[in-house]
PDB file of all heavy atoms in Angstrom:
ATOM      1  N   THR X  99     -20.400  24.011   3.513  1.00 81.00           N
ATOM      2  CA  THR X  99     -19.988  25.422   3.401  1.00 81.00           C
ATOM      3  C   THR X  99     -21.044  26.329   2.785  1.00 81.00           C
ATOM      4  O   THR X  99     -21.033  27.538   3.026  1.00 81.00           O
ATOM      5  CB  THR X  99     -18.702  25.528   2.567  1.00 81.00           C
ATOM      6  OG1 THR X  99     -18.928  24.952   1.266  1.00 81.00           O
ATOM      7  CG2 THR X  99     -17.561  24.776   3.242  1.00 81.00           C
ATOM      8  N   ALA X 100     -21.944  25.783   1.993  1.00 85.00           N
ATOM      9  CA  ALA X 100     -22.922  26.631   1.295  1.00 85.00           C
ATOM     10  C   ALA X 100     -24.017  27.104   2.248  1.00 85.00           C
ATOM     11  O   ALA X 100     -24.273  26.498   3.293  1.00 85.00           O
ATOM     12  CB  ALA X 100     -23.531  25.872   0.124  1.00 85.00           C
ATOM     13  N   ASP X 101     -24.655  28.196   1.856  1.00 86.00           N
ATOM     14  CA  ASP X 101     -25.738  28.793   2.649  1.00 86.00           C
ATOM     15  C   ASP X 101     -27.049  28.126   2.242  1.00 86.00           C
ATOM     16  O   ASP X 101     -27.803  28.632   1.407  1.00 86.00           O
ATOM     17  CB  ASP X 101     -25.769  30.308   2.387  1.00 86.00           C
ATOM     18  CG  ASP X 101     -26.588  31.040   3.442  1.00 86.00           C
ATOM     19  OD1 ASP X 101     -27.139  30.371   4.341  1.00 86.00           O
ATOM     20  OD2 ASP X 101     -26.697  32.282   3.351  1.00 86.00           O
ATOM     21  N   LEU X 102     -27.334  26.955   2.832  1.00 88.00           N
ATOM     22  CA  LEU X 102     -28.508  26.147   2.478  1.00 88.00           C
ATOM     23  C   LEU X 102     -29.432  26.012   3.680  1.00 88.00           C
ATOM     24  O   LEU X 102     -28.971  25.867   4.812  1.00 88.00           O
ATOM     25  CB  LEU X 102     -28.067  24.743   2.024  1.00 88.00           C
ATOM     26  CG  LEU X 102     -27.005  24.655   0.930  1.00 88.00           C
ATOM     27  CD1 LEU X 102     -26.619  23.210   0.706  1.00 88.00           C
ATOM     28  CD2 LEU X 102     -27.506  25.279  -0.356  1.00 88.00           C
ATOM     29  N   HIS X 103     -30.748  26.006   3.402  1.00 89.00           N
ATOM     30  CA  HIS X 103     -31.723  25.925   4.494  1.00 89.00           C
ATOM     31  C   HIS X 103     -32.966  25.186   4.025  1.00 89.00           C
ATOM     32  O   HIS X 103     -33.266  25.166   2.818  1.00 89.00           O
ATOM     33  CB  HIS X 103     -32.110  27.329   4.972  1.00 89.00           C
ATOM     34  CG  HIS X 103     -30.928  28.155   5.392  1.00 89.00           C
ATOM     35  ND1 HIS X 103     -30.323  28.018   6.617  1.00 89.00           N
ATOM     36  CD2 HIS X 103     -30.232  29.122   4.718  1.00 89.00           C
ATOM     37  CE1 HIS X 103     -29.296  28.859   6.692  1.00 89.00           C
ATOM     38  NE2 HIS X 103     -29.228  29.541   5.558  1.00 89.00           N
ATOM     39  N   PRO X 104     -33.717  24.585   4.959  1.00 89.00           N
ATOM     40  CA  PRO X 104     -34.962  23.910   4.576  1.00 89.00           C
ATOM     41  C   PRO X 104     -36.030  24.930   4.179  1.00 89.00           C
ATOM     42  O   PRO X 104     -35.926  26.131   4.483  1.00 89.00           O
ATOM     43  CB  PRO X 104     -35.354  23.146   5.846  1.00 89.00           C
ATOM     44  CG  PRO X 104     -34.709  23.922   6.961  1.00 89.00           C
ATOM     45  CD  PRO X 104     -33.434  24.464   6.396  1.00 89.00           C
ATOM     46  N   ILE X 105     -37.068  24.443   3.505  1.00 89.00           N
ATOM     47  CA  ILE X 105     -38.172  25.309   3.097  1.00 89.00           C
ATOM     48  C   ILE X 105     -38.843  25.896   4.342  1.00 89.00           C
ATOM     49  O   ILE X 105     -39.127  25.188   5.311  1.00 89.00           O
ATOM     50  CB  ILE X 105     -39.196  24.501   2.254  1.00 89.00           C
ATOM     51  CG1 ILE X 105     -38.545  24.000   0.954  1.00 89.00           C
ATOM     52  CG2 ILE X 105     -40.422  25.340   1.948  1.00 89.00           C
ATOM     53  CD1 ILE X 105     -38.067  25.092   0.042  1.00 89.00           C
ATOM     54  N   GLY X 106     -39.076  27.192   4.291  1.00 88.00           N
ATOM     55  CA  GLY X 106     -39.707  27.890   5.414  1.00 88.00           C
ATOM     56  C   GLY X 106     -38.724  28.617   6.304  1.00 88.00           C
ATOM     57  O   GLY X 106     -39.121  29.392   7.181  1.00 88.00           O
ATOM     58  N   TRP X 107     -37.428  28.389   6.095  1.00 88.00           N
ATOM     59  CA  TRP X 107     -36.409  29.015   6.945  1.00 88.00           C
ATOM     60  C   TRP X 107     -36.409  30.536   6.773  1.00 88.00           C
ATOM     61  O   TRP X 107     -36.274  31.282   7.757  1.00 88.00           O
ATOM     62  CB  TRP X 107     -35.039  28.443   6.601  1.00 88.00           C
ATOM     63  CG  TRP X 107     -33.911  29.035   7.401  1.00 88.00           C
ATOM     64  CD1 TRP X 107     -33.479  28.635   8.623  1.00 88.00           C
ATOM     65  CD2 TRP X 107     -33.086  30.146   7.030  1.00 88.00           C
ATOM     66  NE1 TRP X 107     -32.426  29.407   9.044  1.00 88.00           N
ATOM     67  CE2 TRP X 107     -32.158  30.354   8.080  1.00 88.00           C
ATOM     68  CE3 TRP X 107     -33.034  30.983   5.917  1.00 88.00           C
ATOM     69  CZ2 TRP X 107     -31.202  31.368   8.049  1.00 88.00           C
ATOM     70  CZ3 TRP X 107     -32.069  31.993   5.879  1.00 88.00           C
ATOM     71  CH2 TRP X 107     -31.157  32.181   6.936  1.00 88.00           C
ATOM     72  N   CYS X 108     -36.554  31.030   5.556  1.00 89.00           N
ATOM     73  CA  CYS X 108     -36.535  32.486   5.310  1.00 89.00           C
ATOM     74  C   CYS X 108     -37.680  33.175   6.041  1.00 89.00           C
ATOM     75  O   CYS X 108     -37.507  34.246   6.641  1.00 89.00           O
ATOM     76  CB  CYS X 108     -36.623  32.767   3.803  1.00 89.00           C
ATOM     77  SG  CYS X 108     -35.089  32.412   2.907  1.00 89.00           S
ATOM     78  N   GLU X 109     -38.854  32.558   5.987  1.00 87.00           N
ATOM     79  CA  GLU X 109     -40.010  33.169   6.644  1.00 87.00           C
ATOM     80  C   GLU X 109     -39.814  33.209   8.159  1.00 87.00           C
ATOM     81  O   GLU X 109     -40.134  34.208   8.811  1.00 87.00           O
ATOM     82  CB  GLU X 109     -41.272  32.373   6.288  1.00 87.00           C
ATOM     83  CG  GLU X 109     -42.545  32.967   6.862  1.00 87.00           C
ATOM     84  CD  GLU X 109     -43.779  32.189   6.460  1.00 87.00           C
ATOM     85  OE1 GLU X 109     -43.635  31.235   5.656  1.00 87.00           O
ATOM     86  OE2 GLU X 109     -44.873  32.520   6.948  1.00 87.00           O
ATOM     87  N   GLN X 110     -39.234  32.146   8.712  1.00 87.00           N
ATOM     88  CA  GLN X 110     -39.020  32.090  10.154  1.00 87.00           C
ATOM     89  C   GLN X 110     -37.951  33.066  10.620  1.00 87.00           C
ATOM     90  O   GLN X 110     -38.007  33.578  11.736  1.00 87.00           O
ATOM     91  CB  GLN X 110     -38.619  30.669  10.576  1.00 87.00           C
ATOM     92  CG  GLN X 110     -39.707  29.634  10.342  1.00 87.00           C
ATOM     93  CD  GLN X 110     -39.209  28.218  10.578  1.00 87.00           C
ATOM     94  OE1 GLN X 110     -38.070  28.036  10.998  1.00 87.00           O
ATOM     95  NE2 GLN X 110     -40.054  27.233  10.292  1.00 87.00           N
ATOM     96  N   ASN X 111     -36.953  33.337   9.761  1.00 87.00           N
ATOM     97  CA  ASN X 111     -35.823  34.168  10.157  1.00 87.00           C
ATOM     98  C   ASN X 111     -35.831  35.546   9.482  1.00 87.00           C
ATOM     99  O   ASN X 111     -34.801  36.220   9.462  1.00 87.00           O
ATOM    100  CB  ASN X 111     -34.514  33.437   9.830  1.00 87.00           C
ATOM    101  CG  ASN X 111     -34.318  32.209  10.681  1.00 87.00           C
ATOM    102  OD1 ASN X 111     -33.785  32.285  11.780  1.00 87.00           O
ATOM    103  ND2 ASN X 111     -34.774  31.059  10.179  1.00 87.00           N
ATOM    104  N   LYS X 112     -36.985  35.931   8.927  1.00 86.00           N
ATOM    105  CA  LYS X 112     -37.163  37.269   8.331  1.00 86.00           C
ATOM    106  C   LYS X 112     -36.117  37.552   7.237  1.00 86.00           C
ATOM    107  O   LYS X 112     -35.553  38.646   7.177  1.00 86.00           O
ATOM    108  CB  LYS X 112     -37.068  38.346   9.428  1.00 86.00           C
ATOM    109  CG  LYS X 112     -38.041  38.172  10.574  1.00 86.00           C
ATOM    110  CD  LYS X 112     -39.476  38.373  10.112  1.00 86.00           C
ATOM    111  CE  LYS X 112     -40.454  38.414  11.286  1.00 86.00           C
ATOM    112  NZ  LYS X 112     -40.684  37.114  11.884  1.00 86.00           N
ATOM    113  N   LYS X 113     -35.884  36.517   6.394  1.00 88.00           N
ATOM    114  CA  LYS X 113     -34.986  36.696   5.266  1.00 88.00           C
ATOM    115  C   LYS X 113     -35.794  36.899   3.990  1.00 88.00           C
ATOM    116  O   LYS X 113     -36.964  36.520   3.916  1.00 88.00           O
ATOM    117  CB  LYS X 113     -34.049  35.482   5.108  1.00 88.00           C
ATOM    118  CG  LYS X 113     -33.132  35.247   6.305  1.00 88.00           C
ATOM    119  CD  LYS X 113     -32.117  36.376   6.467  1.00 88.00           C
ATOM    120  CE  LYS X 113     -31.173  36.106   7.624  1.00 88.00           C
ATOM    121  NZ  LYS X 113     -30.172  37.175   7.817  1.00 88.00           N
ATOM    122  N   ILE X 114     -35.167  37.483   2.962  1.00 86.00           N
ATOM    123  CA  ILE X 114     -35.872  37.861   1.731  1.00 86.00           C
ATOM    124  C   ILE X 114     -35.776  36.755   0.695  1.00 86.00           C
ATOM    125  O   ILE X 114     -34.685  36.282   0.366  1.00 86.00           O
ATOM    126  CB  ILE X 114     -35.283  39.159   1.139  1.00 86.00           C
ATOM    127  CG1 ILE X 114     -35.378  40.288   2.166  1.00 86.00           C
ATOM    128  CG2 ILE X 114     -35.990  39.523  -0.152  1.00 86.00           C
ATOM    129  CD1 ILE X 114     -34.655  41.548   1.736  1.00 86.00           C
ATOM    130  N   LEU X 115     -36.933  36.316   0.197  1.00 88.00           N
ATOM    131  CA  LEU X 115     -36.983  35.420  -0.949  1.00 88.00           C
ATOM    132  C   LEU X 115     -37.170  36.276  -2.193  1.00 88.00           C
ATOM    133  O   LEU X 115     -38.166  36.981  -2.328  1.00 88.00           O
ATOM    134  CB  LEU X 115     -38.137  34.421  -0.826  1.00 88.00           C
ATOM    135  CG  LEU X 115     -37.895  33.155  -0.003  1.00 88.00           C
ATOM    136  CD1 LEU X 115     -39.184  32.360   0.155  1.00 88.00           C
ATOM    137  CD2 LEU X 115     -36.827  32.281  -0.651  1.00 88.00           C
ATOM    138  N   LYS X 116     -36.211  36.225  -3.112  1.00 87.00           N
ATOM    139  CA  LYS X 116     -36.256  37.094  -4.289  1.00 87.00           C
ATOM    140  C   LYS X 116     -35.812  36.303  -5.520  1.00 87.00           C
ATOM    141  O   LYS X 116     -34.826  35.575  -5.489  1.00 87.00           O
ATOM    142  CB  LYS X 116     -35.322  38.288  -4.085  1.00 87.00           C
ATOM    143  CG  LYS X 116     -35.365  39.313  -5.202  1.00 87.00           C
ATOM    144  CD  LYS X 116     -34.430  40.471  -4.893  1.00 87.00           C
ATOM    145  CE  LYS X 116     -34.416  41.491  -6.024  1.00 87.00           C
ATOM    146  NZ  LYS X 116     -33.485  42.602  -5.733  1.00 87.00           N
ATOM    147  N   VAL X 117     -36.556  36.505  -6.619  1.00 86.00           N
ATOM    148  CA  VAL X 117     -36.262  35.786  -7.859  1.00 86.00           C
ATOM    149  C   VAL X 117     -34.901  36.218  -8.402  1.00 86.00           C
ATOM    150  O   VAL X 117     -34.623  37.420  -8.498  1.00 86.00           O
ATOM    151  CB  VAL X 117     -37.345  36.065  -8.919  1.00 86.00           C
ATOM    152  CG1 VAL X 117     -37.065  35.262 -10.190  1.00 86.00           C
ATOM    153  CG2 VAL X 117     -38.724  35.733  -8.372  1.00 86.00           C
TER     154      VAL X 117
END
Side-chain angles (χ1 to χ4, degrees):
T99 58
D101 196 359
L102 308 175
H103 304 280
I105 297 298
W107 179 86
C108 286
E109 183 178 355
Q110 295 172 5
N111 293 273
K112 304 293 189 286
K113 298 294 182 180
I114 302 172
L115 276 173
K116 184 179 178 181
V117 183

